[in-house]
Amino acid sequence: MSSSRARLARLLPIVLAFALTAGCGGGGGGGGSDKNPPGGQVLQEAANVLRNTASLSFTLRTSGDPKVNVKSVDAKLLKNGNSQGSVQVTELGLPIQLDFVVLGKAVYFKGLTGGWQKETLAQVAGIYDPSAVLDPDRGLVQLLVTAKDPVTRGKEKVAGQDCYRVHATLAQAALGRLVPGMTSDAPADIWVSTADKHVLKAEVEVASKSGGKPGKVTIAFADFGKPFSIVAPAK
């Protein structure tokens, strides 16, 4: 494997791990006001909807100085584990753009220069199984239902839709399966549509690389159930 190809291969686990981060927080019991449903109820309803979601798209952006290498992600996901998108990461302080396609047990990827390369999923992303993303027993649903102390903190608009904003703590056990390297629980805000119970946004607080003020990872979700066509890239 060439040095360029090896470097791209090293970056794929970062890409795919953060694709999994499409799982915002959610879960258990807890709070709310007289006018809003309890946080646990809101997140449980969102989890129930997600169990039947065949596809979605998401964008991920970071702010501050969170202890992650990813800067941005744009991806489409299918329940069978196939996915397609692009990611920007930093390596040695330099931004690197990478396009990727996951089809079954194969991963295709390329940088800004050169063509598409192919590896088996086990070779470049053995740290997790991407089919877990929309698997109700392993992926986003589990992150929702295992969140701790959810409290509804009012209503806000996201993408023009009325949402409940729920604050919760994401359990390390669930989050760690989706984001390798997480060593502790993480506080998060989750916005769930009042109309169709879709999770539209999540903001996860992440420790700073420098030890200062925590940074954030913000994920926005859309295109629920859209029939994406994900195919192998042309050579």
Side-chain angles (χ1 to χ4, degrees):
M1 183 183 293
S2 69
S3 60
S4 175
R5 185 175 181 180
R7 185 174 69 171
L8 291 177
R10 290 197 304 270
L11 294 176
L12 252 294
I14 298 173
V15 175
L16 299 175
F18 277 93
L20 289 174
T21 317
C24 42
S33 69
D34 293 338
K35 296 181 180 180
N36 297 317
Q41 176 183 324
V42 173
L43 297 182
Q44 183 61 58
E45 290 174 345
N48 292 340
V49 170
L50 191 57
R51 289 179 195 277
N52 298 312
T53 298
S55 63
L56 57 78
S57 67
F58 77 95
T59 61
L60 180 152
R61 300 291 185 265
T62 61
S63 59
D65 187 31
K67 192 183 294 184
V68 295
N69 289 332
V70 70
K71 296 295 291 182
S72 67
V73 179
D74 295 88
K76 301 173 182 177
L77 301 173
L78 299 180
K79 194 169 188 176
N80 63 8
N82 292 348
S83 59
Q84 175 182 343
S86 63
V87 63
Q88 186 182 63
V89 298
T90 56
E91 186 180 20
L92 301 176
L94 299 175
I96 296 175
Q97 186 76 26
L98 183 67
D99 296 329
F100 66 90
V101 176
V102 177
L103 287 172
K105 300 301 181 181
V107 180
Y108 303 84
F109 58 96
K110 74 179 182 73
L112 292 177
T113 61
W116 287 94
Q117 301 173 42
K118 180 182 178 182
E119 298 288 352
T120 66
L121 190 58
Q123 285 175 302
V124 298
I127 61 170
Y128 90 104
D129 180 358
S131 66
V133 179
L134 288 175
D135 185 322
D137 296 322
R138 297 180 291 160
L140 309 186
V141 169
Q142 287 304 304
L143 197 60
L144 284 165
V145 300
T146 59
K148 302 172 184 178
D149 303 321
V151 177
T152 305
R153 291 188 170 175
K155 288 183 180 180
E156 297 177 2
K157 283 190 179 292
V158 173
Q161 299 185 51
D162 289 328
C163 293
Y164 296 117
R165 179 168 69 91
V166 178
H167 183 80
T169 299
L170 303 185
Q172 185 276 333
L175 187 58
R177 287 195 298 268
L178 303 182
V179 186
M182 294 295 297
T183 59
S184 63
D185 297 352
D189 285 308
I190 304 102
W191 285 261
V192 177
S193 168
T194 62
D196 55 23
K197 313 307 179 185
H198 283 142
V199 177
L200 298 185
K201 189 172 80 167
E203 287 186 354
V204 183
E205 186 174 292
V206 182
S208 169
K209 292 178 182 177
S210 61
K213 182 179 178 181
K216 284 186 178 180
V217 175
T218 301
I219 312 161
F221 304 88
D223 299 323
F224 295 90
K226 187 171 181 178
F228 296 126
S229 176
I230 298 177
V231 298
K235 295 184 178 180

